[in-house]
């Protein structure tokens, strides 16, 4: 169904896509009935296209129809300009939104000092929400630095390993974990134990860090 209640049907044996209106009128949306093949349409109607046993289809959030063109071993896009299905919920951008904050001094109230005198800004509330270690660490501090900033020295911890830790804390995942150098993986594993991040430890273990 699209957002206006139009029913879309993959007419498999006739190699076309049908639409049924709310008045039960059946018309061809795309494809050439009883003509099998593979061709895109130059027409806005899509009637010049050719399919081969189309099967599953959906209406996406732009009103286009995505068709599994079975015997052509292809996924086809029909610019049908239908109404998007009602109740469509966009995918979550929660992780990507939080990842923008990593190494971004805007709104940061914590700075980690790591090897080579590098400094990595972070956010106390996020750290405390995700790690019992940080809850206890910041909770035990009687005062904060100037301007509400806290400088936390991590000695010889590498910037790469700490950024991996922060990526996990902020997004609950780590992209490209398996392509990260083994040295950084081992260092991140030690930090994961220190900061009480058991899920990250398990992820690193699954990546073969302890092997």
């Amino acid at each position: 169904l699209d957002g206006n209640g139009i029913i879309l049907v993959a007419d498999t044996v006739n190699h076309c896509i049908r639409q049924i209106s709310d008045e039960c009128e059946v018309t061809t949306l795309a494809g050439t009935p009883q003509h099998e093949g593979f061709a895109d349409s130059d027409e806005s109607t899509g009637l010049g296209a050719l399919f081969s046993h189309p099967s599953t289809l959906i209406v996406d959030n732009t009103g286009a129809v995505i068709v599994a063109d079975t015997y052509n071993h292809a996924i086809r896009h029909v610019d049908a300009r239908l109404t998007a299905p009602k109740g469509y919920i966009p995918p979550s951008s929660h992780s990507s939104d939080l990842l923008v904050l990593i190494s971004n001094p805007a709104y940061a109230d914590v700075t980690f000092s790591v090897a080579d005198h590098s400094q990595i800004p972070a956010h106390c509330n996020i750290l405390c929400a995700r790690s019992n270690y940080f809850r206890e660490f910041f909770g035990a501090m009687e005062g904060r630095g100037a301007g509400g900033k806290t400088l936390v020295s991590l000695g010889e911890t590498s910037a790469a390993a700490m950024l991996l830790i922060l990526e996990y804390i902020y997004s609950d995942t780590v992209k490209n974990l398996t392509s990260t150098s083994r040295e950084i993986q081992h260092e991140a594993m030690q930090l994961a134990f220190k900061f009480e991040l058991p899920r990250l430890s398990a992820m690193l273990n699954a990546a073969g860090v302890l092997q």
Side-chain angles (χ1 to χ4, degrees):
L1 289 174
D2 80 342
N4 288 330
I6 293 176
I7 299 172
L8 281 300
V9 178
D11 190 350
T12 304
V13 296
N14 286 311
H15 314 295
C16 61
I17 307 303
R18 311 283 197 181
Q19 60 182 2
I20 306 173
S21 71
D22 55 2
E23 297 178 350
C24 295
E25 179 183 2
V26 180
T27 57
T28 300
L29 175 68
T32 305
Q34 299 182 354
H35 287 76
E36 181 180 3
F38 183 90
D40 292 325
S41 172
D42 293 330
E43 307 172 20
S44 61
T45 61
L47 297 181
L50 293 176
F51 296 90
S52 180
H53 294 80
S55 54
T56 306
L57 57 79
I58 63 167
V59 181
D60 72 8
N61 64 304
T62 69
V65 179
I66 311 300
V67 182
D69 192 358
T70 307
Y71 282 16
N72 283 320
H73 309 289
I75 304 298
R76 307 285 293 279
H77 178 279
V78 180
D79 186 15
R81 303 179 186 179
L82 299 173
T83 302
K86 295 179 180 178
Y88 170 76
I89 302 175
S92 172
S93 63
H94 179 267
S95 293
S96 59
D97 290 343
L98 288 180
L99 284 173
V100 173
L101 296 175
I102 295 181
S103 297
N104 187 341
Y107 315 113
D109 54 0
V110 175
T111 300
F112 290 108
S113 177
V114 294
D116 300 325
H117 305 291
S118 298
Q119 294 191 336
I120 303 174
H123 307 80
C124 181
N125 286 344
I126 296 176
L127 297 172
C128 292
R130 297 279 288 152
S131 164
N132 184 61
Y133 172 91
F134 285 118
R135 283 194 293 273
E136 295 182 354
F137 177 83
F138 289 112
M141 298 180 66
E142 296 181 359
R144 305 291 293 277
K149 303 283 186 178
T150 299
L151 180 64
V152 180
S153 176
L154 295 178
E156 295 304 311
T157 298
S158 71
M162 191 59 197
L163 285 171
L164 187 152
I165 293 293
L166 291 177
E167 181 182 356
Y168 170 77
I169 288 176
Y170 281 59
S171 69
D172 204 42
T173 189
V174 178
K175 293 182 179 179
N176 305 318
L177 180 58
T178 56
S179 62
T180 302
S181 73
R182 187 53 59 96
E183 180 182 359
I184 297 301
Q185 288 181 350
H186 276 283
E187 188 178 1
M189 177 67 88
Q190 294 174 349
L191 292 173
F193 281 120
K194 175 180 178 179
F195 298 145
E196 301 179 34
L197 302 170
R199 185 169 184 271
L200 177 56
S201 297
M203 292 168 61
L204 288 162
N205 188 31
V209 174
L210 296 182
Q211 296 178 2

